[in-house]
Amino acid sequence: QVQLVESGGGLVQAGGSLRLSCTASGSINSINVMGWFRQTPGKQRELVATITSGGSTNYADSVKGRFTISRDNAGDTMYLQMNSVKPEDTAVYYCNADVRAYYPPRRIYWGQGTQVTVSS
């Protein structure tokens, strides 16, 4: 069984900071890419940032310079440091992982999501 569990969401004032975490657990061989997505009602799910097992990162233009994605040495936990947050950052943030395992050999997993609400 493979699970992704997000934590760290909550209510924060505009200009403040928040740190999200996502931990993968189960019989995992490796995770090639992990990423954060976000979604609000009436809008499509949006890519926020990704990070590879080698540490390469990619950010949406809307969060560049404000958010930082990182990954621990074991590769099972991913973080999103959110600084200078704006009301438009309000969304449900989802963890995503491309998981390699013994069975199934490859599968995309999503976390349940964590709500981030930025007040103005």
Side-chain angles (χ1 to χ4, degrees), residues 3-117:
Q3 296 182 83
L4 301 179
V5 180
E6 302 101 331
S7 63
L11 177 65
V12 62
Q13 290 187 329
S17 297
L18 206 63
R19 191 193 194 204
L20 306 183
S21 299
C22 173
T23 299
S25 63
S27 299
I28 298 169
N29 183 44
S30 65
I31 303 176
N32 186 34
V33 182
M34 298 184 76
W36 289 99
F37 291 73
R38 65 187 182 186
Q39 188 170 27
T40 57
K43 298 177 66 177
Q44 296 202 57
R45 190 166 296 187
E46 172 191 24
L47 173 67
V48 177
T50 61
I51 184 167
T52 69
S53 59
S56 297
T57 59
N58 180 53
Y59 296 92
D61 288 341
S62 59
V63 306
K64 285 181 179 177
R66 300 188 298 117
F67 293 5
T68 302
I69 190 170
S70 61
R71 192 168 172 178
D72 68 7
N73 291 332
D76 294 333
T77 302
M78 175 181 63
Y79 307 93
L80 185 68
Q81 180 65 46
M82 306 168 61
N83 295 331
S84 302
V85 296
K86 304 175 181 179
E88 50 262 46
D89 294 323
T90 295
V92 177
Y93 283 72
Y94 294 92
C95 176
N96 172 269
D98 182 0
V99 176
R100 267 69 168 176
Y102 294 105
Y103 185 83
R106 183 186 179 186
R107 185 173 177 177
I108 304 298
Y109 291 90
W110 291 92
Q112 294 182 212
T114 185
Q115 176 72 47
V116 172
T117 302

